[in-house]
Amino acid sequence: MKMVDESGMPDGIVEKTANALGYFSDCSSRAARRMLPTFYAKRDGKALGVRTDSVLKSAQRIQDSNLDEETKRIMLASLSVEYSHRENVNATVDIAIQSGRIHDNSSMDELGDEWVENFVDHVEKVSDEETQRLWAAVLSGEVNQPGTYSKRTMSILSDMSKSDAEAFKGFCSMCCGGRSISTGIEYWTQPYIILDDDGGGYNDHELAYADIARLDSLGLVLKDSNTRFQAGSQPIFCISGTPYIAAPMDGEAKLLTVGNCILTPFGNELSRLCDKGTHPKLHSIISKDLDTKGFYLLRVG
């Protein structure tokens, strides 16, 4: 019985043939950067990562070698997988650049080797365009401001199913925040998630209890938690691009407690990929809740 290494190849094949074929399975940071072409090269219309002709040449070298047929088959299969992975990375980088989100003064050189390797590990397996667009937004955000997306946040995103993504998107639609349409000011993300009286959901059953529980298990939100604003402060809630303050009805300073669910640091990072405060019922839900606490929404912009 033949032993196989972690790549799925019979033990020793890569070592025996790498020099002869010019084919290397390099998992170092240099490999990660090779799989993630520089943005400036792409902007100038220069070579994009792995070329089809170079892959064909590598395949031909394998075919023309003196290796046995089983080894050739394994090497060709591995080459095909590597090419597919690189194409997935290239496609994601292309989307990031074409989105126009990357600042002109940004550079991939500011990204740490570990971050790049983790990004490539996740993206190389993503072939559908919708998910590639999410990862492209992650890349754009990190290039513009290194440290925006942590290793843990990327791991959570990679583990999320489409239903998880939809649930989180719905959650963010019930979060105040985003950019003011009138002033351009960017406001922080403040979830306004209220447990329904029957305990079966949140925000008049617009959010399912099971979905929030799933987001909690993923590490994106914390159930049964709230945000408290000190007496005298007037928190701003940005709803559909319009900022409001929670003003006390009697003009007296008082403590304001908001919601039954908050974002974790990882959820807050991931919320940057979503539109916030856009749910059509959010304004009425907040107004109703504030009314029971002696506050009202006062537009400030």
Side-chain angles (χ1 to χ4, degrees), residues 44-116:
D44 296 339
K46 297 179 181 178
L48 307 182
V50 178
R51 294 292 190 181
T52 301
D53 57 353
S54 68
V55 174
L56 293 175
K57 288 178 181 178
S58 296
Q60 190 62 53
R61 286 198 297 272
I62 294 173
Q63 291 284 22
D64 294 342
S65 71
N66 295 324
L67 296 171
D68 60 82
E69 292 303 315
E70 181 183 5
T71 300
K72 288 181 180 180
R73 178 182 61 79
I74 293 171
M75 295 294 288
L76 288 170
S78 180
L79 181 64
S80 176
V81 170
E82 182 179 355
Y83 176 68
S84 176
H85 285 178
R86 292 186 182 188
E87 285 297 285
N88 289 340
V89 175
N90 283 338
T92 303
V93 173
D94 281 337
I95 293 171
I97 293 170
Q98 293 170 11
S99 70
R101 295 177 178 176
I102 298 175
H103 301 159
D104 290 337
N105 60 349
S106 298
S107 172
M108 193 188 76
D109 292 337
E110 299 299 321
L111 300 180
D113 286 354
E114 184 177 356
W115 193 93
V116 173

Side-chain angles (χ1 to χ4, degrees), residues 5-300:
D5 63 19
E6 293 181 354
S7 66
M9 297 183 184
D11 188 30
I13 282 183
V14 173
E15 291 80 0
K16 290 190 303 181
T17 61
N19 290 333
L21 302 177
Y23 178 79
F24 297 90
S25 181
D26 184 359
C27 295
S28 69
S29 61
R30 291 196 311 274
R33 287 186 179 276
R34 186 179 69 244
M35 293 172 72
L36 189 60
T38 63
F39 300 117
Y40 294 124
K42 287 201 167 193
R43 286 176 179 173
D44 296 339
K46 297 179 181 178
L48 307 182
V50 178
R51 294 292 190 181
T52 301
D53 57 353
S54 68
V55 174
L56 293 175
K57 288 178 181 178
S58 296
Q60 190 62 53
R61 286 198 297 272
I62 294 173
Q63 291 284 22
D64 294 342
S65 71
N66 295 324
L67 296 171
D68 60 82
E69 292 303 315
E70 181 183 5
T71 300
K72 288 181 180 180
R73 178 182 61 79
I74 293 171
M75 295 294 288
L76 288 170
S78 180
L79 181 64
S80 176
V81 170
E82 182 179 355
Y83 176 68
S84 176
H85 285 178
R86 292 186 182 188
E87 285 297 285
N88 289 340
V89 175
N90 283 338
T92 303
V93 173
D94 281 337
I95 293 171
I97 293 170
Q98 293 170 11
S99 70
R101 295 177 178 176
I102 298 175
H103 301 159
D104 290 337
N105 60 349
S106 298
S107 172
M108 193 188 76
D109 292 337
E110 299 299 321
L111 300 180
D113 286 354
E114 184 177 356
W115 193 93
V116 173
E117 289 177 14
N118 275 286
F119 177 81
V120 170
D121 285 343
H122 295 302
V123 173
E124 66 182 9
K125 304 175 186 68
V126 177
S127 57
D128 68 284
E129 185 176 342
E130 182 179 356
T131 307
Q132 286 176 345
R133 289 189 179 280
L134 286 176
W135 284 103
V138 169
L139 179 59
S140 299
E142 186 69 18
V143 171
N144 290 335
Q145 186 176 346
T148 297
Y149 296 102
S150 66
K151 177 181 177 181
R152 175 59 177 153
T153 297
M154 288 194 289
S155 179
I156 293 174
L157 177 59
S158 185
D159 289 340
M160 291 175 71
S161 65
K162 287 193 174 182
S163 60
D164 293 335
E166 286 299 317
F168 189 66
K169 182 179 178 181
F171 182 94
C172 288
S173 75
M174 289 289 190
C175 292
C176 302
R179 190 176 300 279
S180 168
I181 295 174
S182 59
T183 66
I185 297 174
E186 183 78 25
Y187 291 102
W188 82 96
T189 301
Q190 172 59 55
Y192 215 109
I193 312 298
I194 305 168
L195 183 67
D196 293 326
D197 292 338
D198 61 6
Y202 295 83
N203 290 19
D204 293 338
H205 294 279
E206 292 295 323
L207 300 176
Y209 187 89
D211 286 343
I212 300 300
R214 172 61 177 161
L215 296 179
D216 182 278
S217 69
L218 283 169
L220 293 173
V221 307
L222 288 176
K223 296 191 303 162
D224 306 321
S225 300
N226 54 45
T227 304
R228 294 183 178 181
F229 297 98
Q230 295 298 320
S233 66
Q234 292 181 309
I236 295 179
F237 301 107
C238 190
I239 306 170
S240 297
T242 301
Y244 301 83
I245 60 171
M249 294 179 178
D250 58 9
E252 299 292 331
K254 61 184 72 176
L255 179 73
L256 174 61
T257 301
V258 171
N260 300 111
C261 191
I262 64 174
L263 285 164
T264 67
F266 312 115
N268 191 58
E269 289 180 11
L270 208 57
S271 72
R272 296 186 177 102
L273 303 178
C274 303
D275 292 329
K276 293 175 280 291
T278 56
H279 196 285
K281 291 186 177 181
L282 182 58
H283 188 284
S284 62
I285 289 171
I286 294 177
S287 294
K288 180 180 177 181
D289 181 65
L290 289 178
D291 184 66
T292 66
K293 299 170 180 176
F295 290 83
Y296 68 101
L297 284 176
L298 175 64
R299 183 169 176 170
V300 293

